[in-house]
Amino acid sequence: MTESHPGPSPGNRIAHVESPTERRNPATTGIDRMSTADVLATVNAEDRSVPEAVGRALPELTRAVDTATGALRAGGRVHYVGAGTSGRLAVLDAAELAPTYNIPPGWFVPHHAGGPDALREAVEDAEDDEEAAAAELRGSVADGDFVLGLTASGRTPYVLAALRTARHRGAATALVTGNPEAPVPDEVDIRITVDTGPEVVAGSTRMKAGTAQKLVLTSFSTATMIRMGRTYSNLMVSMHATNAKLRGRTVRVLREATGLGTQSCTQALVRAGGDLKVALVHLLSGAETAAAAAALDRAGGHVREALTSVGPATP
Protein backbone atom coordinates (compact mmCIF):
# COMPACT_ATOMS: atom_id res chain seq x y z
CA MET A 1 0.00 0.00 0.00
CA THR A 2 0.96 3.66 -0.22
CA GLU A 3 0.88 5.90 2.82
CA SER A 4 0.95 9.66 2.26
CA HIS A 5 2.04 12.03 5.02
CA PRO A 6 1.35 15.62 3.94
CA GLY A 7 3.90 18.19 5.00
CA PRO A 8 3.46 21.93 5.06
CA SER A 9 3.53 22.04 1.25
CA PRO A 10 3.07 19.58 -1.66
CA GLY A 11 6.83 19.57 -2.13
CA ASN A 12 7.24 18.05 1.34
CA ARG A 13 4.72 15.26 0.82
CA ILE A 14 6.02 11.76 1.56
CA ALA A 15 4.63 8.61 -0.05
CA HIS A 16 5.67 5.10 0.96
CA VAL A 17 5.14 2.84 -2.05
CA GLU A 18 4.90 -0.93 -1.75
CA SER A 19 5.87 -2.40 -5.10
CA PRO A 20 8.19 -5.17 -6.30
CA THR A 21 10.27 -2.51 -8.07
CA GLU A 22 11.06 -0.84 -4.72
CA ARG A 23 12.37 -3.97 -3.03
CA ARG A 24 15.98 -5.10 -2.82
CA ASN A 25 16.99 -7.68 -5.38
CA PRO A 26 18.72 -10.61 -3.61
CA ALA A 27 20.78 -11.30 -6.73
CA THR A 28 22.41 -7.85 -6.64
CA THR A 29 23.12 -7.07 -2.98
CA GLY A 30 26.86 -7.39 -3.63
CA ILE A 31 26.85 -5.53 -6.93
CA ASP A 32 28.99 -2.66 -5.61
CA ARG A 33 31.81 -5.15 -4.98
CA MET A 34 31.66 -6.76 -8.42
CA SER A 35 34.01 -6.17 -11.30
CA THR A 36 32.72 -4.06 -14.18
CA ALA A 37 32.27 -7.17 -16.30
CA ASP A 38 30.25 -8.86 -13.57
CA VAL A 39 28.09 -5.77 -13.03
CA LEU A 40 27.22 -5.72 -16.73
CA ALA A 41 26.62 -9.47 -16.81
CA THR A 42 24.28 -9.18 -13.82
CA VAL A 43 22.30 -6.34 -15.39
CA ASN A 44 22.08 -8.31 -18.62
CA ALA A 45 20.86 -11.42 -16.80
CA GLU A 46 18.12 -9.43 -15.07
CA ASP A 47 17.10 -7.77 -18.34
CA ARG A 48 16.45 -11.16 -19.93
CA SER A 49 13.39 -11.62 -17.74
CA VAL A 50 11.66 -8.55 -19.15
CA PRO A 51 10.33 -9.97 -22.47
CA GLU A 52 8.85 -12.92 -20.61
CA ALA A 53 7.06 -10.57 -18.23
CA VAL A 54 5.67 -8.63 -21.19
CA GLY A 55 4.58 -11.90 -22.78
CA ARG A 56 2.42 -12.72 -19.78
CA ALA A 57 0.51 -9.46 -20.34
CA LEU A 58 -0.28 -10.04 -24.03
CA PRO A 59 -4.00 -10.81 -23.53
CA GLU A 60 -4.55 -7.42 -21.89
CA LEU A 61 -2.31 -5.71 -24.44
CA THR A 62 -4.41 -7.28 -27.20
CA ARG A 63 -7.52 -5.68 -25.72
CA ALA A 64 -5.74 -2.32 -25.62
CA VAL A 65 -4.68 -2.53 -29.27
CA ASP A 66 -8.16 -3.48 -30.43
CA THR A 67 -9.71 -0.67 -28.38
CA ALA A 68 -7.23 1.87 -29.73
CA THR A 69 -7.81 0.69 -33.30
CA GLY A 70 -11.55 1.07 -32.84
CA ALA A 71 -11.06 4.59 -31.52
CA LEU A 72 -8.91 5.63 -34.48
CA ARG A 73 -11.28 4.11 -37.02
CA ALA A 74 -14.15 6.04 -35.46
CA GLY A 75 -12.25 9.32 -35.75
CA GLY A 76 -10.86 9.40 -32.22
CA ARG A 77 -7.31 9.72 -30.95
CA VAL A 78 -4.87 7.75 -28.81
CA HIS A 79 -3.30 9.51 -25.82
CA TYR A 80 -0.25 8.47 -23.81
CA VAL A 81 0.12 9.72 -20.23
CA GLY A 82 3.20 9.33 -18.05
CA ALA A 83 5.64 10.96 -15.65
CA GLY A 84 9.42 10.70 -15.49
CA THR A 85 10.82 7.74 -17.41
CA SER A 86 7.33 6.56 -18.34
CA GLY A 87 6.43 9.93 -19.83
CA ARG A 88 9.69 10.26 -21.75
CA LEU A 89 9.26 6.82 -23.29
CA ALA A 90 5.70 7.68 -24.27
CA VAL A 91 6.77 10.93 -25.94
CA LEU A 92 9.50 9.06 -27.83
CA ASP A 93 7.13 6.39 -29.11
CA ALA A 94 4.56 8.93 -30.27
CA ALA A 95 7.20 11.07 -31.98
CA GLU A 96 8.56 8.15 -34.00
CA LEU A 97 5.21 7.13 -35.46
CA ALA A 98 4.93 10.09 -37.83
CA PRO A 99 8.13 9.43 -39.85
CA THR A 100 7.65 5.65 -39.71
CA TYR A 101 3.98 5.42 -40.63
CA ASN A 102 3.10 8.93 -41.86
CA ILE A 103 0.15 9.06 -39.48
CA PRO A 104 -2.30 11.96 -39.57
CA PRO A 105 -1.53 14.78 -37.11
CA GLY A 106 -3.11 14.14 -33.73
CA TRP A 107 -3.57 10.39 -34.00
CA PHE A 108 -1.20 9.86 -31.06
CA VAL A 109 -0.96 12.55 -28.38
CA PRO A 110 1.59 12.26 -25.53
CA HIS A 111 1.08 13.97 -22.16
CA HIS A 112 4.17 14.19 -19.96
CA ALA A 113 4.05 15.44 -16.38
CA GLY A 114 5.97 18.71 -16.20
CA GLY A 115 5.64 19.42 -19.92
CA PRO A 116 8.53 19.84 -22.38
CA ASP A 117 10.99 21.02 -19.70
CA ALA A 118 10.68 17.67 -17.93
CA LEU A 119 11.88 15.81 -21.01
CA ARG A 120 15.46 16.98 -20.50
CA GLU A 121 15.62 17.55 -16.76
CA ALA A 122 13.78 15.79 -13.98
CA VAL A 123 10.84 17.68 -12.49
CA GLU A 124 10.11 15.15 -9.80
CA ASP A 125 7.16 16.88 -8.10
CA ALA A 126 5.32 17.09 -11.43
CA GLU A 127 4.15 13.50 -11.02
CA ASP A 128 2.08 14.54 -7.99
CA ASP A 129 0.26 17.36 -9.80
CA GLU A 130 -3.24 15.98 -10.23
CA GLU A 131 -4.70 19.37 -11.12
CA ALA A 132 -2.29 19.83 -14.03
CA ALA A 133 -3.15 16.37 -15.36
CA ALA A 134 -6.88 17.01 -15.11
CA ALA A 135 -6.57 20.38 -16.83
CA GLU A 136 -4.49 19.01 -19.69
CA LEU A 137 -6.79 16.06 -20.35
CA ARG A 138 -9.92 18.20 -20.13
CA GLY A 139 -8.49 20.35 -22.90
CA SER A 140 -7.45 17.45 -25.10
CA VAL A 141 -9.47 14.26 -24.64
CA ALA A 142 -12.85 13.74 -26.30
CA ASP A 143 -15.58 11.13 -26.13
CA GLY A 144 -14.42 8.05 -28.06
CA ASP A 145 -10.68 8.56 -27.55
CA PHE A 146 -8.38 5.98 -25.98
CA VAL A 147 -5.98 6.92 -23.17
CA LEU A 148 -3.03 4.74 -22.16
CA GLY A 149 -1.39 5.62 -18.84
CA LEU A 150 2.02 4.35 -17.77
CA THR A 151 3.32 4.15 -14.22
CA ALA A 152 5.71 1.59 -12.77
CA SER A 153 4.18 1.87 -9.30
CA GLY A 154 0.59 1.88 -10.54
CA ARG A 155 -0.10 4.84 -8.27
CA THR A 156 1.39 7.99 -9.86
CA PRO A 157 -1.11 10.78 -9.06
CA TYR A 158 -0.60 12.63 -12.37
CA VAL A 159 -1.37 9.50 -14.38
CA LEU A 160 -4.36 8.38 -12.34
CA ALA A 161 -5.86 11.87 -12.38
CA ALA A 162 -5.45 11.97 -16.15
CA LEU A 163 -7.18 8.61 -16.55
CA ARG A 164 -9.98 9.67 -14.21
CA THR A 165 -10.56 12.83 -16.24
CA ALA A 166 -10.42 10.93 -19.52
CA ARG A 167 -12.97 8.41 -18.31
CA HIS A 168 -15.33 11.21 -17.25
CA ARG A 169 -15.05 12.63 -20.76
CA GLY A 170 -16.08 9.34 -22.37
CA ALA A 171 -12.68 7.95 -23.32
CA ALA A 172 -11.67 4.31 -22.91
CA THR A 173 -8.66 3.88 -20.61
CA ALA A 174 -5.81 1.47 -19.93
CA LEU A 175 -2.97 1.44 -17.42
CA VAL A 176 0.48 -0.11 -17.86
CA THR A 177 1.99 -0.89 -14.46
CA GLY A 178 4.81 -2.93 -13.01
CA ASN A 179 3.05 -3.39 -9.69
CA PRO A 180 0.65 -6.33 -9.40
CA GLU A 181 -0.09 -5.31 -5.81
CA ALA A 182 -1.56 -1.90 -6.65
CA PRO A 183 -5.37 -1.76 -6.64
CA VAL A 184 -7.15 -1.42 -9.97
CA PRO A 185 -8.52 2.13 -10.12
CA ASP A 186 -12.17 2.54 -11.06
CA GLU A 187 -11.12 4.78 -13.94
CA VAL A 188 -9.16 1.99 -15.68
CA ASP A 189 -10.88 -0.25 -18.24
CA ILE A 190 -7.82 -2.38 -19.06
CA ARG A 191 -4.93 -3.00 -16.67
CA ILE A 192 -1.71 -4.25 -18.28
CA THR A 193 0.50 -5.54 -15.48
CA VAL A 194 4.11 -6.34 -16.36
CA ASP A 195 5.74 -7.67 -13.19
CA THR A 196 9.49 -7.37 -13.71
CA GLY A 197 10.27 -7.79 -10.01
CA PRO A 198 12.97 -5.98 -8.01
CA GLU A 199 15.32 -3.76 -9.96
CA VAL A 200 19.09 -4.27 -10.07
CA VAL A 201 19.29 -1.03 -8.07
CA ALA A 202 16.26 -0.91 -5.77
CA GLY A 203 13.64 1.55 -6.97
CA SER A 204 15.46 2.48 -10.21
CA THR A 205 12.46 1.95 -12.45
CA ARG A 206 14.24 3.35 -15.49
CA MET A 207 15.81 -0.12 -15.69
CA LYS A 208 13.66 -3.28 -16.05
CA ALA A 209 10.35 -1.50 -15.51
CA GLY A 210 11.31 1.12 -18.08
CA THR A 211 12.46 -1.52 -20.55
CA ALA A 212 9.14 -3.30 -20.11
CA GLN A 213 7.26 -0.08 -20.81
CA LYS A 214 9.33 0.49 -23.95
CA LEU A 215 8.49 -3.02 -25.17
CA VAL A 216 4.81 -2.52 -24.39
CA LEU A 217 4.71 0.82 -26.20
CA THR A 218 6.45 -0.37 -29.35
CA SER A 219 4.33 -3.54 -29.44
CA PHE A 220 1.16 -1.54 -28.85
CA SER A 221 1.83 1.13 -31.45
CA THR A 222 3.21 -1.29 -34.05
CA ALA A 223 0.23 -3.63 -33.73
CA THR A 224 -2.13 -0.66 -33.92
CA MET A 225 -0.43 0.60 -37.08
CA ILE A 226 -0.68 -2.85 -38.67
CA ARG A 227 -4.38 -3.06 -37.82
CA MET A 228 -4.83 0.41 -39.33
CA GLY A 229 -3.33 -0.73 -42.63
CA ARG A 230 -0.10 1.24 -42.36
CA THR A 231 1.95 -1.78 -43.52
CA TYR A 232 1.84 -4.27 -46.37
CA SER A 233 3.18 -7.64 -45.24
CA ASN A 234 6.05 -6.61 -42.94
CA LEU A 235 6.98 -3.58 -45.03
CA MET A 236 6.57 0.09 -44.12
CA VAL A 237 4.42 1.36 -46.96
CA SER A 238 3.05 4.47 -45.27
CA MET A 239 6.33 6.20 -44.49
CA HIS A 240 6.85 9.83 -45.38
CA ALA A 241 10.07 10.07 -47.40
CA THR A 242 11.59 13.28 -46.03
CA ASN A 243 15.26 12.59 -46.70
CA ALA A 244 17.56 10.70 -49.07
CA LYS A 245 17.67 7.60 -46.87
CA LEU A 246 13.89 7.30 -46.73
CA ARG A 247 13.53 7.98 -50.45
CA GLY A 248 15.93 5.10 -51.05
CA ARG A 249 13.91 2.95 -48.67
CA THR A 250 10.68 3.56 -50.62
CA VAL A 251 12.30 2.16 -53.75
CA ARG A 252 13.67 -0.80 -51.79
CA VAL A 253 10.23 -1.51 -50.31
CA LEU A 254 8.70 -1.56 -53.80
CA ARG A 255 11.43 -3.89 -55.01
CA GLU A 256 10.88 -6.24 -52.06
CA ALA A 257 7.10 -6.25 -52.49
CA THR A 258 6.98 -6.62 -56.26
CA GLY A 259 10.22 -8.32 -57.29
CA LEU A 260 10.75 -5.62 -59.91
CA GLY A 261 13.93 -3.66 -60.58
CA THR A 262 14.99 -0.25 -59.36
CA GLN A 263 14.10 1.51 -62.61
CA SER A 264 10.55 0.16 -62.76
CA CYS A 265 9.94 0.99 -59.12
CA THR A 266 11.35 4.50 -59.44
CA GLN A 267 9.20 5.19 -62.48
CA ALA A 268 6.13 3.91 -60.66
CA LEU A 269 6.85 6.25 -57.75
CA VAL A 270 7.11 9.18 -60.13
CA ARG A 271 3.80 8.27 -61.76
CA ALA A 272 2.24 7.99 -58.30
CA GLY A 273 3.51 11.40 -57.24
CA GLY A 274 5.79 9.82 -54.65
CA ASP A 275 2.94 7.94 -52.94
CA LEU A 276 4.38 4.55 -52.04
CA LYS A 277 1.03 2.84 -51.52
CA VAL A 278 -0.35 4.05 -54.84
CA ALA A 279 2.79 2.89 -56.62
CA LEU A 280 2.58 -0.48 -54.88
CA VAL A 281 -1.06 -1.13 -55.80
CA HIS A 282 -0.32 0.06 -59.35
CA LEU A 283 2.61 -2.34 -59.75
CA LEU A 284 0.93 -5.34 -58.12
CA SER A 285 -2.38 -5.00 -59.92
CA GLY A 286 -1.49 -3.36 -63.21
CA ALA A 287 -4.16 -0.73 -62.60
CA GLU A 288 -3.50 2.86 -63.57
CA THR A 289 -2.32 5.08 -60.73
CA ALA A 290 -5.65 6.95 -60.60
CA ALA A 291 -7.53 3.66 -60.18
CA ALA A 292 -5.00 2.50 -57.58
CA ALA A 293 -5.44 5.72 -55.60
CA ALA A 294 -9.23 5.43 -55.75
CA ALA A 295 -9.09 1.81 -54.54
CA LEU A 296 -6.90 2.81 -51.62
CA ASP A 297 -9.27 5.59 -50.72
CA ARG A 298 -12.21 3.18 -50.67
CA ALA A 299 -10.18 0.73 -48.57
CA GLY A 300 -9.17 3.33 -45.99
CA GLY A 301 -5.53 3.01 -47.01
CA HIS A 302 -5.31 -0.78 -46.60
CA VAL A 303 -3.20 -2.11 -49.49
CA ARG A 304 -4.53 -5.67 -49.36
CA GLU A 305 -8.12 -4.50 -49.33
CA ALA A 306 -7.44 -2.15 -52.23
CA LEU A 307 -5.91 -4.99 -54.24
CA THR A 308 -9.04 -7.09 -53.92
CA SER A 309 -10.94 -4.51 -55.97
CA VAL A 310 -8.33 -3.92 -58.68
CA GLY A 311 -6.28 -7.12 -58.93
CA PRO A 312 -4.52 -9.93 -57.09
CA ALA A 313 -1.95 -9.35 -54.37
CA THR A 314 1.31 -11.19 -54.23
CA PRO A 315 1.91 -13.37 -51.12
Side-chain angles (χ1 to χ4, degrees), residues 107 227-230 277 294-303 305-306:
W107 258 21
R227 294 274 70 83
M228 293 300 295
R230 312 305 284 189
K277 282 187 177 181
L296 280 164
D297 187 59
R298 291 192 300 271
H302 290 248
V303 171
E305 291 183 23

Side-chain angles (χ1 to χ4, degrees), residues 30-171:
I31 199 167
D32 59 334
R33 298 193 300 271
M34 293 181 185
S35 67
T36 301
D38 286 343
V39 168
L40 295 174
T42 300
V43 171
N44 180 253
E46 289 291 318
D47 284 345
R48 292 176 195 172
S49 68
V50 176
E52 294 181 359
V54 173
R56 292 190 290 271
L58 290 183
E60 294 77 20
L61 187 54
T62 298
R63 289 180 58 203
V65 169
D66 290 342
T67 304
T69 301
L72 291 173
R73 286 176 177 166
R77 303 194 295 176
V78 174
H79 301 257
Y80 289 156
V81 181
T85 297
S86 302
R88 294 183 189 99
L89 289 171
V91 170
L92 175 64
D93 191 77
E96 291 180 338
L97 294 178
T100 305
Y101 297 107
N102 193 24
I103 63 173
W107 258 21
F108 278 70
V109 184
H111 304 274
H112 184 210
D117 290 344
L119 291 174
R120 302 181 68 174
E121 294 185 10
V123 183
E124 299 297 351
D125 59 342
E127 72 174 50
D128 295 328
D129 197 339
E130 298 181 61
E131 292 184 3
E136 182 161 348
L137 272 291
R138 277 196 301 269
S140 179
V141 172
D143 185 13
D145 285 357
F146 176 72
V147 181
L148 181 68
L150 301 104
T151 162
S153 69
R155 304 172 184 275
T156 304
Y158 179 93
V159 175
L160 296 185
L163 293 175
R164 185 163 52 249
T165 301
R167 184 73 175 279
H168 288 163
R169 294 186 63 80

